[in-house]
Amino acid sequence: MTPTVSASGLSLRHGGTRALDDVSLRLSAGVTGLLGPNGAGKTTLLRVLATAVPADRGTFTVLGHDPGTSRGRQEVRRRLGYLPQTPGFHPDFTAFEFVDYVAILKELTDRSARHREVRRVLDEVGLGDVRGKRIRKLSGGMRQRVALAAALVGDPGFLVLDEPTVGLDPEQRMRFRELIAQAGEGRTVLLSTHQTEDVAMLCHRVVVLAGGTVRFDGTPAELTARVAGRVWSSTERDPGAKAGWRTGLGTFRNVGDPPAGADLLEPTLEDGYLLTLDGAGTEVAA
Ligand SMILES: Nc1ncnc2c1ncn2[C@@H]1O[C@H](COP(=O)(O)OP(=O)(O)OP(=O)(O)O)[C@@H](O)[C@H]1O
């Protein structure tokens, strides 16, 4: 598939921490999941790609534009939708006012065209009926949808979502998943998440980041297949397992290097992720 976003050798230090260390990526249309433990560098990578912060080293292009020049940066920002971890709502704004405010920042200067666009994106996330409600009166799931609507203003070709489903109940998460899948039709979406289930269900591609470096880059099926033969069941926690826990069935699910004759289980994407992280520190000192 033709890459829409290409990054090469991105590195960024925060004081003594190498938040990103030589990260190279190619993204294409559809939803790519970005998994990693706390402090892995996910938010830093998203902020760099969203041109919110410059990398110390490395280059990238978004939809053919290079943000290394001020003209290129402007072109990238015109094609970008960004849902940050903390969207920074003004709680007294209505949903409409907030999205309209973002639309003004995105240079939609014609008032009636802008208002049409605000109504369109609020309808798209299913909030057309509550657009006049104050944000503080909305549920957590609805607030996240307001933030998604704001990110969708102007129909961006590259959508960056930083842990959008965190704190949502299963029903809201499911609703949000539908919206992300819809958003990924024909555009490039980079979704940072701790939810391996979201990745298994939504993403055509997954990148695992730890300690600022890429530990895996491939399809969810490839991440799962990595641990074929490395997940097994036992009646006691296997001392040789890298991770092991008692399941609701009363047996233990072990992940690691099984003993001979072990009762092997079908691996999940989460098993693949856990073993990929095995031994990977979350932070790398400079
Ligand atoms: N503004 C900052 N100043 C100093 N250190 C920072 C700053 N932002 C991030 N870091 C450090 O950089 C590293 C990467 O952080 P980042 O927030 O990108 O990780 P993350 O994968 O998004 O984590 P989480 O899942 O917890 O959101 C961490 O060690 C973090 O403490």
Side-chain angles (χ1 to χ4, degrees):
M1 256 191 276
T2 328
T4 46
V5 177
S6 298
S8 172
L10 294 177
S11 299
L12 176 61
R13 273 171 198 253
H14 283 301
T17 305
R18 262 184 266 160
L20 290 181
D21 188 10
D22 199 18
V23 169
S24 297
L25 286 177
R26 277 162 165 245
L27 306 178
S28 55
V31 186
T32 295
L34 181 62
L35 284 173
N38 292 123
K42 302 182 299 298
T43 295
T44 305
L45 176 61
L46 298 191
R47 285 172 55 77
V48 167
L49 295 178
T51 74
V53 57
D56 298 333
R57 279 204 315 270
T59 55
F60 69 100
T61 58
V62 174
L63 300 159
H65 296 278
D66 176 359
T69 65
S70 63
R71 178 70 202 271
R73 205 152 43 246
Q74 194 178 24
E75 294 298 330
V76 169
R77 287 176 182 164
R78 283 187 177 144
R79 288 161 179 78
L80 175 83
Y82 181 33
L83 192 162
Q85 224 167 35
T86 39
F89 295 122
H90 192 303
D92 283 329
F93 272 17
T94 64
F96 186 95
E97 284 166 348
F98 176 74
V99 178
D100 192 42
Y101 165 71
V102 172
I104 292 168
L105 296 180
K106 284 191 173 177
E107 305 172 327
L108 275 69
T109 45
D110 180 279
R111 194 166 180 272
S112 68
R114 187 177 71 239
H115 284 185
R116 259 200 314 282
E117 176 65 358
V118 173
R119 281 195 294 274
R120 182 188 73 80
V121 291
L122 283 168
D123 284 344
E124 196 171 323
V125 301
L127 292 180
D129 293 343
V130 297
R131 61 175 179 249
K133 268 205 169 184
R134 297 204 187 285
I135 289 175
R136 70 179 144 80
K137 301 259 185 197
L138 300 178
S139 68
M142 283 180 164
R143 282 184 203 185
Q144 277 304 74
R145 283 194 266 151
V146 173
L148 179 63
L152 288 170
V153 164
D155 195 14
F158 180 37
L159 191 61
V160 175
L161 308 175
D162 199 351
E163 295 190 34
T165 57
V166 80
L168 302 188
D169 66 37
E171 198 186 336
Q172 295 275 12
R173 217 164 74 214
M174 194 73 79
R175 176 89 183 92
F176 214 86
R177 240 182 232 162
E178 277 177 40
L179 294 171
I180 297 172
Q182 199 179 309
E185 280 168 25
R187 64 158 78 81
T188 302
V189 179
L190 183 57
L191 166 72
S192 163
T193 180
H194 285 290
Q195 306 284 343
T196 47
E197 257 174 75
D198 283 351
V199 173
M201 296 202 177
L202 275 175
C203 299
H204 71 128
R205 170 108 177 271
V206 53
V207 173
V208 177
L209 202 64
T213 64
V214 173
R215 306 296 168 119
F216 175 85
D217 184 350
T219 65
E222 285 164 351
L223 184 54
T224 307
R226 273 187 145 197
V227 283
R230 301 192 67 198
V231 186
W232 70 102
S233 171
S234 59
T235 49
E236 299 292 328
R237 187 192 190 283
D238 198 314
K242 310 245 188 228
W245 60 94
R246 191 194 293 276
T247 68
L249 300 172
T251 52
F252 280 78
R253 184 179 177 88
N254 303 284
V255 181
D257 297 314
D263 178 12
L264 294 179
L265 298 173
E266 197 65 36
T268 62
L269 185 129
E270 186 164 68
D271 298 324
Y273 170 58
L274 286 175
L275 278 179
T276 296
L277 286 184
D278 181 36
T282 54
E283 294 179 16
V284 179

